[in-house]
Amino acid sequence: TAKEVCEYVKKTFNKKYRAESMVKLLNKIGFSYKKTKQVPSKADREKQEKFVKEYEELRENMKENEKIYFLDAVHPRHNSMPAYGWIEKGKEKEILSNTGRDRVNINGLYSPIDQEIIIRQDDSINGQSTVSLLQKVEEMHPELDAIYIIRDNAKYYGSEPVKEYLKDSRIVMVPLPSYSPNLNLIERLWKFMKKKYCIINIMHPILSLKKQ
């Protein structure tokens, strides 16, 4: 916080600032107040940089009858999720929670080429359900000669049913480096989905209340 920066400056340089003055100074010299960015602690930076370089080369050399997708699964729960919102001072905003903890299992593909999204919902995400998703993308795009799918290291993506299916497939699996969710573009889609869903469910009762 600006107050903590003031304390640091006083201790280190023996200069006194008020918090509001420090905010102006920090803005002036190019700083802004924002969250730090989390990255996996076990990630290998060199392997990630190598992957990014290979991915850029793949994009640059792609033919018209080829396409890239990012693959990942998500498991949203059938339950309310507390989140931040603007609430009148001195009051609490309550949301009802469900008693059950059932979740939805979604396996999805996202293409950065044209923002196409292909998903399947299954009872569970495993090798066979992944094969069904791969079949779906091939059926949807008979015009493609090669389909590059960038995936994380979940066991079901490297399972025997998937390996067997890929033998006679137009799909080329490209594994991400370990501990690299930050490189999987579909993760941003899942994050947006959760945020959008949460905002809709929070705002709906507020807007309804205003109408009354």
Side-chain angles (χ1 to χ4, degrees), residues 7 37 210:
E7 292 172 358
K37 182 180 179 181
K210 285 186 176 181

Side-chain angles (χ1 to χ4, degrees), residues 69-71 149-154 157-158 173-176 184:
Y69 290 90
F70 283 80
L71 169 65
I149 295 182
I150 298 170
R151 51 92 170 175
D152 63 19
N153 293 283
Y157 294 149
M173 284 288 202
V174 181
L176 283 162
N184 197 341

Side-chain angles (χ1 to χ4, degrees), residues 126-141:
N126 52 37
Q128 193 53 55
S129 65
T130 299
V131 168
S132 297
L133 180 63
L134 300 182
Q135 289 173 330
K136 185 175 181 178
V137 68
E138 288 203 280
E139 290 169 2
M140 290 176 64
H141 292 288

